[in-house]
Amino acid sequence: MRFIFSSGARSLVALLISAFLVMPASSSWGESIQAELHPGERVEVDGYSIELSDISVVPDNPAALLKIHSNGSISSTVMRAGEFFVLKDAHKREELGIKLEEIRREGYLSNESRATLEIWMRSRPEISISMSPDRDVYHSGDQIRVEVFVENTGDGNAESIRLNLSEHHSYVLNETLKEIGKKMRRSLLRPGEVWMERICFPAPSIPERESIELVAAAEYFDADSNPYRSETVLPITVAGPVELHKHVHEIQTFGRTYYVIDTVRNTGNVRLNLSLTDNAGDAFQSEKVPEQRFDLAPGETKITSYAVKARSPGEGLVLPPARCTYSIAGSTYTVISESPVVDVLGPRIEARRYVSSGGDHDVFKVCMDVKNTGNRYAGVRAHRIFPERVEMLDGKNDLSFALSPGSSRTFCWSIRCPNGSCALPPVDLIYFDSENNIFRCDVPSLRLEKRSPEIPDMSRKNGTERTEVEISEPIRSSDVEPHPSGFALALVLLISALIWVRSL
């Protein structure tokens, strides 16, 4: 029999293909698809590309050359109608089945013919493993409880399943997990089925907080005894022998005092010497917290506290974490606590008093700006803003008003100081929130001095310019000069005329 193939077919790298006259009666094959191809055409199936390369010109017994492309490799085979072949992978597992149903010739040229193929993919199992611990963090000696879920997500049966557990951080723990894994066996897991196991083992003793890795690996076979393996890793956080927590009220009222509580606990199995340091940060005022040193036996707890007060209202204020240092076997370790986040609620009044204008005739214009920089409404009151010896020309000597968060108001008064100067004492502004919590704001004292009239120099040094300044003073009759007489005016005119005539 003579074939005519393209030049590309002669350069193919062939892989041995098992060919059969009929399709094997095996339940491991999945659903099939049909494809009708002309020479040079191809079809894509689950990562494989199947190409009809050429068809023989022999009319009585035609044959087709097929090429299968996968992962950079090319396999080829010659088939006649009714034949079936199986493509195997590098592990000798059957991957693809192709049956040549029919070859139709519609002329003497091969490109006028076509072939009908039926293509099967193997039904293979695929194990997916997931694990769920009962807690986020464990301490030395705690029982770690984990639920293990094994699901067959493939389209074939998984048989003879063995689930192995391991963790290489601790030899003792690894041996414990191996013993647990010996009992985790399953003979069959059908597609879509889930197998669940619960395991329990003690947390290892480690010198500092660390994440261990629990490895679960499933080994199983398909219906034709082809081996498979699936694996997953679960990180588990195990704390060291020292547990440190920092706690304070999360919602505070501005102006009140609260307490920060540091709790240190030895969760290990040896006595430890510890050093604790902490501070309130910039958003809170407190006395300096000294460094504390103490010993803790296994299971013992130490509690310390100190008072804090917020410097101003605000939301999301953060206190820095506390730190605890200890040594084990010559190595030093540090544990860091949480950083508490606090919302401080309340109004905060800031006020500024200043002289706006004035000073002449003992009269001054005094203003005061009042602003609520807090996050709650404030009711503000002030009494006896000016002392009795100061004469108020307008305005009131007391205030009563409300300010919303972020808003401000300005008040002005015209006053007269006795003798042209006076000292205004501090003003005590009292404000309160909606819960009648009372706060105070002190406005500093203010000194007022009469402004003296300034008389600039009447002439400059070179004597070329003169500046006259009018000083406002009460006008008296003795200060007014008389107008010049008519006789003096006539005399001046006569002298001017004589001078002019002489010049002629």
Side-chain angles (χ1 to χ4, degrees):
M1 183 174 61
R2 180 171 173 267
F3 294 92
I4 300 177
F5 299 122
S6 63
S7 60
R10 292 194 296 268
S11 63
L12 298 177
V13 180
L15 181 70
L16 179 62
I17 306 295
S18 299
F20 300 88
L21 294 178
V22 295
M23 174 183 174
S26 173
S27 60
S28 60
W29 291 105
E31 296 181 355
S32 64
I33 64 169
Q34 281 194 343
E36 188 176 82
L37 303 177
H38 290 84
E41 295 181 339
R42 64 177 62 187
V43 62
E44 305 288 338
V45 179
D46 197 20
Y48 293 91
S49 178
I50 303 164
E51 179 185 0
L52 177 59
S53 180
D54 207 350
I55 296 178
S56 69
V57 297
V58 179
D60 296 333
N61 192 17
L65 174 62
L66 299 179
K67 295 188 294 184
I68 301 99
H69 303 260
S70 175
N71 297 326
S73 64
I74 303 175
S75 305
S76 63
T77 185
V78 176
M79 298 183 65
R80 291 177 173 83
E83 292 183 345
F84 182 85
F85 75 91
V86 177
L87 177 67
K88 294 184 178 181
D89 63 10
H91 302 285
K92 305 301 181 182
R93 295 183 298 198
E94 297 175 347
E95 290 293 316
L96 191 71
I98 302 177
K99 183 180 180 181
L100 181 59
E101 294 281 354
E102 184 183 11
I103 298 178
R104 294 184 181 182
R105 299 184 69 255
E106 298 182 355
Y108 291 100
L109 299 178
S110 62
N111 58 3
E112 297 179 353
S113 303
R114 62 185 184 274
T116 303
L117 306 176
E118 189 167 9
I119 306 167
W120 283 269
M121 292 297 300
R122 296 290 294 187
S123 295
R124 63 174 68 89
E126 186 172 351
I127 293 295
S128 174
I129 308 173
S130 61
M131 294 185 284
S132 176
D134 64 334
R135 287 163 55 183
D136 294 331
V137 181
Y138 298 89
H139 296 278
S140 175
D142 290 347
Q143 290 297 312
I144 300 177
R145 294 177 173 84
V146 179
E147 290 183 342
V148 184
F149 299 91
V150 182
E151 181 180 5
N152 184 359
T153 59
D155 56 2
N157 293 337
E159 302 179 0
S160 303
I161 309 166
R162 300 175 55 186
L163 193 61
N164 301 316
L165 303 174
S166 61
E167 201 292 310
H168 302 294
H169 187 279
S170 168
Y171 172 78
V172 176
L173 178 57
N174 194 39
E175 292 299 314
T176 301
L177 293 174
K178 286 183 179 179
E179 292 298 322
I180 296 175
K182 289 179 180 180
K183 303 176 183 180
M184 303 177 70
R185 302 287 186 268
R186 184 75 176 251
S187 59
L188 178 65
L189 196 64
R190 295 180 175 84
E193 287 187 343
V194 179
W195 165 33
M196 194 270 284
E197 291 279 353
R198 291 185 176 90
I199 61 175
C200 181
F201 55 93
S205 178
I206 54 180
E208 63 179 339
R209 186 186 182 98
E210 193 171 337
S211 179
I212 64 174
E213 293 184 344
L214 175 61
V215 181
E219 297 177 351
Y220 53 100
F221 299 88
D222 62 11
D224 296 324
S225 299
N226 296 312
Y228 298 84
R229 189 178 189 275
S230 299
E231 180 181 295
T232 189
V233 178
L234 173 67
I236 299 176
T237 302
V238 179
V242 175
E243 182 179 349
L244 174 60
H245 297 287
K246 181 174 182 176
H247 174 76
V248 69
H249 283 283
E250 297 178 353
I251 299 178
Q252 300 182 9
T253 298
F254 177 60
R256 292 186 179 179
T257 299
Y258 294 84
Y259 286 88
V260 175
I261 300 175
D262 292 331
T263 304
V264 187
R265 182 170 179 261
N266 183 357
T267 60
N269 51 15
V270 297
R271 190 177 188 87
L272 296 175
N273 178 264
L274 304 106
S275 175
L276 176 65
T277 58
D278 195 11
N279 67 87
D282 298 332
F284 296 83
Q285 57 185 5
S286 69
E287 296 182 357
K288 183 177 180 180
V289 183
E291 180 180 0
Q292 301 185 52
R293 296 182 178 274
F294 48 87
D295 290 341
L296 284 183
E300 190 176 0
T301 301
K302 174 75 171 179
I303 299 177
T304 64
S305 64
Y306 58 92
V308 296
K309 181 184 291 187
R311 299 184 185 276
S312 63
E315 298 179 6
L317 304 180
V318 180
L319 282 83
R323 297 174 180 271
C324 191
T325 305
Y326 58 95
S327 297
I328 296 178
S331 298
T332 301
Y333 304 94
T334 300
V335 178
I336 301 176
S337 74
E338 310 90 346
S339 295
V341 179
V342 178
D343 291 339
V344 180
L345 309 180
R348 187 186 185 191
I349 296 298
E350 297 180 358
R352 181 178 68 96
R353 187 169 51 170
Y354 56 94
V355 178
S356 175
S357 63
D360 294 340
H361 310 301
D362 306 335
V363 176
F364 299 86
K365 185 176 181 180
V366 178
C367 295
M368 182 167 63
D369 297 334
V370 184
K371 184 176 182 180
N372 182 3
T373 60
N375 50 27
R376 291 295 184 270
Y377 270 88
V380 185
R381 293 176 183 173
H383 299 284
R384 299 187 62 81
I385 301 173
F386 300 100
E388 294 181 354
R389 65 179 181 275
V390 174
E391 180 184 357
M392 295 182 57
L393 303 181
D394 59 14
K396 297 180 180 180
N397 205 16
D398 55 11
L399 296 175
S400 182
F401 58 95
L403 279 181
S404 60
S407 64
S408 61
R409 291 186 64 177
T410 300
F411 302 89
C412 293
W413 300 266
S414 292
I415 64 172
R416 176 178 287 114
C417 291
N419 302 322
S421 64
C422 59
L424 301 182
V427 177
D428 185 17
L429 289 180
I430 299 176
Y431 60 100
F432 48 90
D433 58 16
S434 58
E435 299 179 357
N436 290 325
N437 294 308
I438 299 176
F439 310 90
R440 292 182 180 275
C441 172
D442 291 331
V443 184
S445 59
L446 182 65
R447 180 73 182 179
L448 304 180
E449 296 286 349
K450 180 180 177 180
R451 187 167 57 195
S452 301
E454 296 181 0
I455 303 178
D457 188 6
M458 292 300 180
S459 62
R460 304 183 65 175
K461 291 183 179 181
N462 55 13
T464 58
E465 296 182 3
R466 294 177 60 88
T467 303
E468 294 185 356
V469 179
E470 180 179 352
I471 306 299
S472 298
E473 292 289 341
I475 297 177
R476 299 185 298 271
S477 59
S478 59
D479 294 333
V480 179
E481 296 183 0
H483 292 284
S485 62
F487 173 78
L489 180 59
L491 180 61
V492 170
L493 292 175
L494 178 60
I495 295 174
S496 299
L498 290 175
I499 296 174
W500 178 74
V501 172
R502 187 177 181 181
S503 63
L504 293 176

